Amino acid sequence: MKQLTAIIATLMVCLTLQAQFATIPLPQSVTTDAKGRTLDVASLEGITCDATVDMMRNAQFLSDYTGLPVISQTDKKTVAVRLRLNTAMTNPEAYRLTTDPTGITIEGRTPAAVFYGIQVLRQALFAKPATLPCGIVESTPRFAYRGMHLDVCRHFFDKEFVKHYIDILALHGMNKLHWHISDDQGWRIEIKKWPRLTQIGAWREQTVIGRNMGIFDGQRHGGYFTQADIREIVRYAQDRYITIIPEIDMPGHMVAALTAYPELGCTGGPYEVWGTWGVSDDILCAGNPKVYTFLTDVFDEVMDLFPSDIIHVGGDEAPKVRWKECSRCQQKIRDERLQGTDKHPAEEKLQAYMVRYLEKHLAERGRRIMGWDELMEGDADRTTIIMSWRDWSGSVDPATLGYPCVKTPNSTLYFDHYQLPQSAWSNTLLFGGNSTVEKVYNYEPAPDTLTPEQKKLVMGLQANLWTEYIAYPELAEYQVLPRMAALAEVQWLSPNKKDYDDFLKRLPNLLNLYKAEGWHYAPLPKKEN
């Protein structure tokens, strides 16, 4: 009887430990203390850490989250949260969180891993438990690339919002921010060699109301980030172990740049920064030598500002109408002996030539290029990282063609789309389809249709927030939350660890944390509650 009682007690402690750390993303492993001990949360006196800059900053983050002070541990009897580096751990992003009567220890091979463990503890302590069962909580992210995207071109979001957005990513254990900073509707990054990009290209005279209905608001809109702003934002992200991947979209989506420097286009203009949405026929002139100088100058300054080893070069939605009619572009095709095929005309090969030109230039400085899946149409080099978005068009999975890739399918991971049932849609508020929390949660970026070797090419996934119809910070928050929680679990957990019904049971505590932070989030549809 005593043995049965002990087994039941141990089981109850295990269930309680799992309940206390029923966080998002869910930890992969929870091991209960064999003795059934607990930690009195009120006994925690503070936070101690290894004496490095990064770990001291981690300790301050935890202090800000919990109110516990950062202290110097001089007495072994001190009950504290201890942050430690552990070089014996192999994965650089795996954390281990151990609870015992003397406190809580969070350890990892790197400060980033410790930071992820801090986010888990942050959620656990937010529920204000009186005690925590003793045991070990561990997790290793499934994917190395765990990202979100932010478009600041269609509507401008300032420096403080970008920092705020980074904070939201940090809570969800993400490590990449894909920052879309140039487009037809506004150029958002200061380039000192080409000052008119922001003097002229950062501003549009008006913005269309709704979905290109021909009615405009008559309000000048714009803004940009100085290089000092960008350095500040990059540091802010680095402190939270998030790498910012900048995107300068080329050769298309360049109307703002062409407005500033019309000589870079095939026709010479005049051009006007777009106040509408869609795809323009006016793109960079691939036959103009000045365009290549422009590209190297711009990307040199971008690389000086962003230490990311990956630089996004766009490559999407670049109609070749102007190139077919441009004598300089046609001469470039002849000079470079670019041969088209029935499937891929010479103009697509010309875009591939431009991309390879940039790829070589970036490689000389130790960088890799990333681009949208249209780059495959020009037979991009297999070192190019393909961002796969056109699943609705029947496009081929980049991994099957040997490309390293990041999955961000339009049908599921475009967070500018609706997240509620169609009956709740507005006719003019947003654009596109419907992607619910459940749909995001059930997405599988490396399906079994891929071979084991092809699955290794899937670096990870991200969701995109395009802002044509998202003009305010509150709506931006609402669009990404709580779908970002579902995305985070896909990024961290293998398919056999995922359980949507269990996710819904864990979600309320996270929603309450959102509420406490003052963040806006969408309600779950009734059928998903």
Side-chain angles (χ1 to χ4, degrees):
M1 185 66 181
K2 289 183 179 180
Q3 186 177 9
L4 178 60
T5 302
I7 292 173
I8 293 173
T10 301
L11 179 61
M12 291 303 294
V13 171
C14 180
L15 291 174
T16 305
L17 183 65
Q18 290 175 337
Q20 293 296 162
F21 287 93
T23 56
I24 295 174
L26 182 70
Q28 293 171 334
S29 173
V30 176
T31 305
T32 306
D33 178 71
K35 299 178 181 179
R37 297 174 298 173
T38 61
L39 166 68
D40 179 7
V41 173
S43 70
L44 290 170
E45 300 172 56
I47 303 162
T48 67
C49 65
D50 291 344
T52 68
V53 172
D54 288 340
M55 293 295 281
M56 292 175 69
R57 185 175 58 247
N58 279 347
Q60 188 58 55
F61 278 132
L62 183 57
S63 176
D64 293 341
Y65 298 146
T66 63
L68 292 170
V70 179
I71 59 176
S72 298
Q73 185 174 354
T74 56
D75 187 342
K76 291 184 178 180
K77 295 181 180 180
T78 301
V79 180
V81 180
R82 300 173 291 271
L83 308 181
R84 294 177 179 171
L85 294 175
N86 182 346
T87 56
M89 297 176 71
T90 56
N91 189 292
E93 293 189 301
Y95 67 82
R96 179 183 299 135
L97 190 155
T98 305
T99 306
D100 61 39
T102 69
I104 301 168
T105 300
I106 301 176
E107 54 190 334
R109 184 177 182 85
T110 64
V114 174
F115 184 77
Y116 302 138
I118 287 171
Q119 303 308 316
V120 171
L121 182 61
R122 176 185 179 186
Q123 290 186 48
L125 293 181
F126 177 75
K128 295 182 171 52
T131 62
L132 286 177
C134 295
I136 300 173
V137 177
E138 297 178 284
S139 203
T140 302
R142 180 186 179 192
F143 291 108
Y145 188 109
R146 305 182 305 280
M148 274 293 301
H149 158 283
L150 178 63
D151 166 21
V152 295
C153 301
R154 276 51 180 268
H155 281 97
F156 179 70
F157 290 85
D158 66 15
K159 176 175 66 176
E160 294 309 314
F161 178 80
V162 177
K163 289 181 178 180
H164 170 59
Y165 198 75
I166 289 167
D167 286 333
I168 297 176
L169 269 64
L171 173 63
H172 294 84
M174 297 183 182
N175 64 358
K176 299 287 189 294
L177 170 60
H178 171 189
W179 198 10
H180 187 76
I181 49 178
S182 72
D183 215 298
D184 298 316
Q185 294 81 13
W187 185 281
R188 305 297 181 213
I189 174 174
E190 178 188 24
I191 302 296
K192 293 186 181 297
K193 284 189 176 180
W194 298 78
R196 295 206 303 269
L197 287 171
T198 47
Q199 292 170 358
I200 296 173
W203 307 92
R204 60 177 182 260
E205 293 307 313
Q206 56 185 352
T207 303
V208 68
I209 296 173
R211 298 179 187 164
N212 290 343
M213 294 187 298
I215 304 172
F216 292 83
D217 63 8
Q219 301 295 317
R220 193 166 189 257
H221 178 86
Y224 66 93
F225 300 92
T226 67
Q227 294 198 357
D229 290 335
I230 289 175
R231 289 191 178 93
E232 181 181 337
I233 292 169
V234 167
R235 284 194 301 271
Y236 192 88
Q238 288 175 322
D239 287 350
R240 290 148 183 82
Y241 309 98
I242 292 171
T243 299
I244 300 181
I245 298 173
E247 180 185 359
I248 301 296
D249 201 349
M250 57 71 63
H253 290 288
M254 276 279 176
V255 173
L258 296 179
T259 305
Y261 295 96
E263 66 272 21
L264 299 179
C266 290
T267 69
Y271 306 101
E272 182 179 352
V273 179
W274 263 25
T276 58
W277 321 126
V279 178
S280 173
D281 287 340
D282 288 308
I283 66 177
L284 293 176
C285 177
N288 183 351
K290 188 173 182 179
V291 166
Y292 296 88
T293 301
F294 167 77
L295 289 174
T296 54
D297 286 347
V298 167
F299 279 93
D300 280 347
E301 293 195 33
V302 167
M303 287 188 285
D304 287 341
L305 293 169
F306 294 93
S308 169
D309 65 333
I310 299 172
I311 304 294
H312 203 299
V313 301
D316 65 312
E317 297 180 328
K320 308 305 187 293
V321 175
R322 301 287 186 253
W323 287 4
K324 290 178 180 179
E325 300 170 348
C326 176
S327 60
R328 289 183 296 184
C329 289
Q330 292 302 312
Q331 185 62 48
K332 189 71 173 177
I333 288 172
R334 290 189 291 270
D335 290 345
E336 300 300 330
R337 299 180 180 179
L338 303 175
Q339 299 295 322
T341 65
D342 291 340
K343 190 174 181 180
H344 299 299
E347 287 77 18
E348 288 184 6
K349 301 294 184 180
L350 182 56
Q351 178 170 335
Y353 169 86
M354 294 185 76
V355 172
R356 285 194 297 271
Y357 172 88
L358 266 183
E359 182 176 37
K360 180 181 178 181
H361 184 73
L362 270 60
E364 290 172 353
R365 294 186 55 175
R367 311 300 181 94
R368 297 179 67 185
I369 68 167
M370 171 185 279
W372 301 106
D373 58 41
E374 284 93 333
L375 294 189
M376 295 190 296
E377 296 169 359
D379 193 26
D381 188 271
R382 291 306 188 272
T383 61
T384 302
I385 301 170
I386 299 296
M387 188 159 275
S388 178
W389 71 282
R390 294 183 299 169
D391 63 327
W392 47 267
S393 71
S395 61
V396 177
D397 190 316
T400 65
L401 298 179
Y403 289 101
C405 56
V406 172
K407 301 295 186 68
T408 179
N410 171 283
S411 64
T412 307
L413 298 183
Y414 271 39
F415 283 2
D416 48 314
H417 292 179
Y418 291 93
Q419 55 190 315
L420 297 175
Q422 189 168 356
S423 60
W425 294 7
S426 158
N427 288 330
T428 59
L429 179 61
L430 300 175
F431 173 79
N434 180 8
S435 186
T436 64
V437 170
E438 183 173 5
K439 187 175 181 181
V440 173
Y441 191 88
N442 290 328
Y443 174 65
E444 174 48 50
D448 289 337
T449 53
L450 300 179
T451 67
E453 289 303 311
Q454 290 168 348
K455 287 183 179 182
K456 292 178 182 178
L457 292 171
V458 180
M459 299 168 59
L461 65 157
Q462 72 176 35
N464 296 341
L465 185 67
W466 302 102
T467 59
E468 288 94 334
Y469 306 99
I470 300 172
Y472 307 103
E474 296 82 1
L475 182 55
E477 291 175 358
Y478 181 93
Q479 286 300 113
V480 300
L481 301 174
R483 286 188 287 194
M484 196 186 290
L487 175 68
E489 200 131 303
V490 181
Q491 293 170 336
W492 274 79
L493 295 183
S494 58
N496 64 335
K497 292 283 187 179
K498 289 166 54 185
D499 183 329
Y500 183 67
D501 289 337
D502 179 66
F503 170 81
L504 290 180
K505 294 175 183 176
R506 290 180 277 118
L507 188 56
N509 186 58
L510 186 58
L511 296 182
N512 286 334
L513 197 160
Y514 294 165
K515 186 175 181 180
E517 293 287 348
W519 300 349
H520 300 78
Y521 57 91
L524 290 174
K526 290 183 180 179
K527 68 177 183 179
E528 295 193 14
N529 283 331

